[in-house]
């Protein structure tokens, strides 16, 4: 039987980011396999990066990194940077989020399936070293 993982909801409310980091550290101490963070109210990649920097073995990642909030190239480069400091520990979850949340950010969801497909294509190309920005 595999050990469980944990999904941590976070926001920029006072003290919540710090609690999220503490919960991830406790999850690692208790033998959890993964600690995933949300992007509903904070930057999921930045938080995953920080958690990776204060843990040693637990896989860290994003349950959904919202493809409408940052360019695919930037998300891929950020993920690669995290992987350099925490090799093979990052799990990058990508998604379109919800219409209600995107509306709160002032983002219009146009063609979510096509947007996600193109985003994944770009990110995968960067991971393979095929993106023109890397040559």
């Amino acid at each position: 039987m595999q050990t469980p993982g944990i999904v941590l909801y976070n926001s920029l409310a006072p003290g919540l980011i710090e609690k999220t980091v503490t919960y991830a550290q406790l999850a690692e101490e208790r033998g959890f396999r993964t600690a995933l963070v949300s992007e509903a109210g904070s930057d999921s990649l930045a938080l995953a990066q920080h958690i990776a920097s204060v843990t040693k073995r637990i896989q860290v990642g994003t349950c959904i990194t919202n493809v409408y909030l940052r360019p695919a190239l930037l998300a891929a480069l950020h993920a690669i940077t995290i992987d350099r400091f925490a090799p093979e520990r990052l799990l990058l979850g990508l998604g379109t989020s919800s219409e209600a949340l995107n509306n709160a950010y002032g983002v219009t969801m146009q063609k979510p399936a096509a947007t996600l497909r193109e985003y994944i294509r770009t990110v995968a190309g960067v991971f393979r070293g095929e993106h023109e920005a890397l040559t």
Side-chain angles (χ1 to χ4, degrees), residues 33-122:
R33 179 182 38 149
T34 58
L36 304 177
V37 295
S38 68
E39 190 156 70
S42 71
D43 184 323
S44 62
L45 283 169
L47 185 53
Q49 179 177 344
H50 178 66
I51 290 171
S53 77
V54 297
T55 57
K56 292 187 177 14
R57 64 153 190 81
I58 195 168
Q59 287 187 299
V60 299
T62 62
C63 45
I64 293 182
T65 293
N66 187 342
V67 300
Y68 289 106
L69 298 183
R70 68 182 59 76
L73 175 60
L74 181 59
L77 293 175
H78 196 159
I80 288 169
T81 301
I82 296 169
D83 187 64
R84 290 279 171 90
F85 293 103
E88 298 182 27
R89 290 177 51 211
L90 179 68
L91 301 172
L92 178 61
L94 299 172
T96 59
S97 192
S98 69
E99 191 169 5
L101 188 58
N102 283 329
N103 284 341
Y105 287 130
V107 174
T108 303
M109 292 178 66
Q110 296 184 2
K111 300 182 180 180
T115 299
L116 183 57
R117 260 192 310 276
E118 179 60 24
Y119 202 94
I120 290 169
R121 187 188 70 69
T122 300

Side-chain angles (χ1 to χ4, degrees), residues 80 122-135:
I80 288 169
T122 300
V123 168
V126 172
F127 288 167
R128 289 189 302 266
E130 300 168 356
H131 196 278
E132 57 271 5
L134 302 176
T135 56

